[in-house]
Amino acid sequence: MDISRAEPMFPGRPGFGRNGQVCLVRANHFFVGLVDKGLHQYDVTMSPEPTMTGVFRAVMSTLMKDHQSTTLGGRLPAYDGRKSLYTAGELPFKTKEFEVTLADKNPGAPGQRRERKFKVTIKHATLVSLQQLQMLMSGIPTDIPAQALQVLDIVLRDIVLNERDDMGFVPVGRSFFSRTIKDPIQLGQGIEGWNGFYQSIRPTQSGLSLNIDMSSTAFVGGGSLIDFIAEILNRKDHLSRGIQNELDYVKIKKALRGLRVEVTHRGQMRRKYRIAGLTKDSARELRFQLSTGETKTVRDYFRETYKLQLRYDFLRCLQVGTEQKPNYLPIEVCNIVPGQRYQKKLDDGQVSKMMSIACQHPAGRETSIRKSVLENKYNSAKRANEFGIEVDSNPTSVQARVLPAPMLRYHGTASCHPENGAWNMRGKKVVNGAKVGIWACVNFCNELTEDQVRIFCGKLSEMSSTTGVNFNGAKLKIFHARSDQVEAKLREVRQQAGNMKIDLVLAILPNKNGSLYGDIKRICETDIGLMSQCCLLKNVEKSSPQFLANVALKINAKCGGRNSVFSDIQVSLPVVWKKPTIIFGADVTHPSALDDTAPSISSVVASQDWPEVTKYHGDVHAQGHRVELIEGLEGIVKKLLLSFEKQSKQKPQQLIFYRDGVSEGQFRKVLEDEIPLIEKAWKALYSQKPAITFIVVQKRHHTRLFPSDGKYQDNSGNVMPGTVVDRQICHPTEFDFFLCSHAGIKGTSRPAHYHVLRDDNNFRADDLQSLTNNLCYTYASCTRSVSTAPPAYYAHKLAFRARFYLGQVPDMASEISAGSAPPPLMLPEIKDELKSHMFYC
């Protein structure tokens, strides 16, 4: 059987990097031994098909318990929880039907006992070959064998769910959460923060590796639904005074939709339902028709049928049925089913509390990871033995290197060598200072007087001038506004300037400002055409020199200046320095998990100032909901290539593209669909094939690096900025590396993962690693190295900014009826005055 990879293929590794100081780090990868016992896949069908995910597993668990030692021939299969069953060795049959009886967990009295019967058919589907996986492990280029890895992931998942069932783990993707790992953190409004761990099996240069990391996420607290609603509304009276405000009901409806509840009014028969919505009438007013044709109110029905006098009959009811077949429940007879993940957006206070769980010190995180591996007892688990899996209990020691930071140049001959990923500009001026001639300050804070605002603006102007931004003779006008006057006030600012160009609008915002920040950005950037800089009240009141200097840097970059450049282009920009090079960054961001209508947003930026590579122009678009690939990429690339020509006064000769927002499963799609569009755009302009190096940047992964030696750790206990790894835990054959380019501040640093999908420029490993690390020191908004290459970072910021441009679009998820198509959404156009500036930095 020929299972070699079809063209086009990703570039192979061009050797290993050698630059930097060699050191040892530990990675949260635990190597896995595997004996091939012959993996088989079986298709599973259940009739009737369960409607709840947990029922699938309950049925299969019962089937295995009843038939493992007999009909299943002693095999202990692994189940994916839905349609597939996997075994090590064949079952004694090709296809077989089983009848499974599932008893209710809360059977109640004998007369109320509910038993559900299912017909389960297990049918042999295919042999799952490990040959491709073995080829990859031996260094032969081939696709990652997704099916074989999926089987191993499912086996390891079954170990957690079935052989550690005392922990009550709730699976979310590849993570497992439990209230028993640590006590949940109360986040407020009935939401809890749970601890858990992530696990995934991966092929690496050293063999199969189990990647284990700590996880945390939000869950809805269990218990009384009345109490949950009281928490949402911050009511101390437990709703005894009713709910009069219609906006409160809107808030409740949004919080409850999709939540699963169980009823309490039928003794031990705890039937479960999913909330579809709320009724318009209260339980004392809402009438429905019985099977006899008689109509009753919900209150009367519960009093007569269940001998239950409702205490909250003045509240509206839950709708737990369908429009065609409604089913109404009083709120007070419902408890929240425990273990439901909270998928809606957390507010700022909840995020802050979640951070206390997520941000573990590196040493503490590593200890927790090791503890999870030991407690999971993989090697003594029945399924691990069944499938021939053995997991090393020690994390992998990996050879790493710490790359040197680049030397930076400021105005004149002033230079700076960053240490530990940071530096300061004391006694230095920006390379090129922007000119600010006319500026305005709009104060949205009642706490500040006009004199205080003027003093702050004076300090900022003075610091900006010290930093090298040209504020000489700048004319300032101060305005005061309420948050609900933002559009009118910004138009007034523009009108009072007449024919004169306003270079900058400074906005002072309350510390808690709701949608105000987004409104200002949307109006300034897509409606009026003003460059804006926002400052929070708390920072204005302190007016620390560090804060003022940081704002000055942002103003300079936004208004067209250049903060710093590399002292030695030839050393700091390998390959790029040799000939005119344009560097792109791109990202696609998607709406939240529960939003099934809002568009995805794609953004592309490109450098304009070779050989400095510090200024970027951008392009941003709304595109189809959850569409992963960038729509209209050919036209975007053409536009940015022409912009490069205009700004650099020359044509580019090579192209480097950092692409964010792509998962491993999308690599082939990007290679086959996106990269040809870049090539097509280049050929249309220059009639020749471009030299493209295309690199995917990934931050949403779970590899963590821990220092083995105090000499090579920063002040936060993390690995040093510039730590790069391209051995042992990377892809067996392809060109990829992990790079921690930034200094840790809080918690455990997450290295960026760079994976090359095409390389016409024939980068050596050292050259691409050094280029990427050095670029991280050119981010315009601060004097620190950043965690991902700035082109990708800028693209991410631009895409995030564009979300604010959709701010006036209603919550369509609540407006559009089920099954109807959402209307097309267009982002408003960014004004010409800002298009060629880095307004998003």
Side-chain angles (χ1 to χ4, degrees), residues 51-119:
T51 55
M52 299 286 190
T53 305
V55 177
F56 282 94
R57 286 196 175 275
V59 171
M60 185 55 68
S61 179
T62 302
L63 187 153
M64 289 185 197
K65 183 180 174 184
D66 293 346
H67 298 280
Q68 184 196 349
S69 60
T70 54
T71 320
L72 298 181
R75 298 277 181 224
L76 184 60
Y79 181 46
D80 74 349
R82 187 69 62 157
K83 298 285 188 183
S84 296
L85 197 70
Y86 299 94
T87 62
E90 283 192 88
L91 294 173
F93 53 83
K94 291 295 183 184
T95 181
K96 194 166 186 65
E97 187 178 280
F98 298 83
E99 189 169 285
V100 178
T101 300
L102 200 62
D104 198 307
K105 284 185 180 178
N106 302 293
Q112 296 179 317
R113 198 179 304 267
R114 294 177 69 241
E115 289 185 342
R116 288 174 287 174
K117 294 186 183 296
F118 296 87
K119 285 187 177 178

Side-chain angles (χ1 to χ4, degrees), residues 463 539-540 542-549:
M463 177 61 78
N539 295 324
V540 171
K542 290 178 184 175
S543 291
S544 68
Q546 183 180 356
F547 168 71
L548 295 170

